[in-house]
Amino acid sequence: MLPTPVAFRTVAFVALFAFVAGCLAAVAQAQDPIPTTPATHTLVAAGTGAVKPTPNDRKDNASIVAAVEKASAKALPLAVADARSQAQELATATGVTLGALVAVSNTSVTSGFYGPIYYGTLGTFGPGKFCGDIRTRSSTVDANGKRHYGKFRTRHLCRVPATVQRTVSLTFAIG
C-alpha cells in the first residue's frame, strides 16, 4: 500500500523542520565567544613603492619577467618605508606614540576589472606572459558611410609594464 499524500506531506514537513533546526544549532555553535580581554589600540598605515622595470631585451619574455620580478623586489622595501613614515605622521598628528609592529599585510593594487597597474605586472597575454601574438585588421569608410574591413594581420608584440607597484599595510600598537 502506498502512503497517502497527507502522510507524505507530514514526513516532508518533519524532515524539513529537523534540517532547519540542525542548521540553526550549527550556526549558534559557530559564533565566536565575546573576548574578555580589552582590545589593544592600534594604528594602521599603508605604503606604496613603485619601480620601473628595465629588461635587457624588450622583445624577450624571459627578460621582461626577470625585470618585473627584480622591480617588485625593489618596490617592497620602498612600500614598507612609506608605510612606516605614514604611521609616524599619523601618530604625531594624533598625539600618540608609535609602539611595536603588530601585523603586516600585503595588499593588492587594482584599478578596475583589469586595471593597468595589476594586470600589466601579471602579463597582458596571461600570467607571466608579456609577449604574444595579436590580430588586427584595417577598416575604411566609403563615400556612402559604409565600413569595409580588410584582412586580418597577425604580429608578435611584447608589452613591458610602465611600473611595478607593491603596497603593504602595517599595524602598530599605540600608547
Side-chain angles (χ1 to χ4, degrees):
M1 182 171 161
L2 295 173
T4 63
V6 173
F8 182 74
R9 284 188 205 126
T10 304
V11 170
F13 177 75
V14 170
L16 181 64
F17 180 75
F19 175 73
V20 170
C23 289
L24 290 175
V27 169
Q29 291 176 352
Q31 293 179 356
D32 292 333
I34 298 172
T36 56
T37 58
T40 306
H41 296 286
T42 59
L43 182 142
V44 179
T48 304
V51 175
K52 179 180 171 58
T54 53
N56 293 332
D57 184 3
R58 296 182 65 86
K59 296 184 179 190
D60 179 43
N61 191 66
S63 177
I64 297 170
V65 168
V68 167
E69 289 173 356
K70 187 176 177 182
S72 180
K74 285 183 180 179
L76 183 59
L78 297 175
V80 171
D82 184 38
R84 283 189 186 276
S85 72
Q86 295 287 334
Q88 189 59 52
E89 286 179 26
L90 284 168
T92 303
T94 56
V96 296
T97 50
L98 206 57
L101 181 64
V102 176
V104 178
S105 174
N106 185 26
T107 58
S108 62
V109 178
T110 59
S111 59
F113 185 67
Y114 281 110
I117 296 170
Y118 190 65
Y119 182 61
T121 59
L122 284 178
T124 55
F125 295 98
K129 295 181 181 177
F130 297 93
C131 298
D133 293 332
I134 61 168
R135 290 180 52 165
T136 58
R137 67 180 182 178
S138 61
S139 65
T140 57
V141 179
D142 63 13
N144 297 329
K146 185 175 178 183
R147 185 170 300 274
H148 298 278
Y149 294 100
K151 292 182 180 180
F152 279 102
R153 186 181 124 194
T154 302
R155 63 185 177 112
H156 191 73
L157 180 70
C158 292
R159 296 179 179 140
V160 179
T163 60
V164 174
Q165 285 189 332
R166 294 290 300 264
T167 303
V168 295
S169 177
L170 302 180
T171 304
F172 292 93
I174 57 172

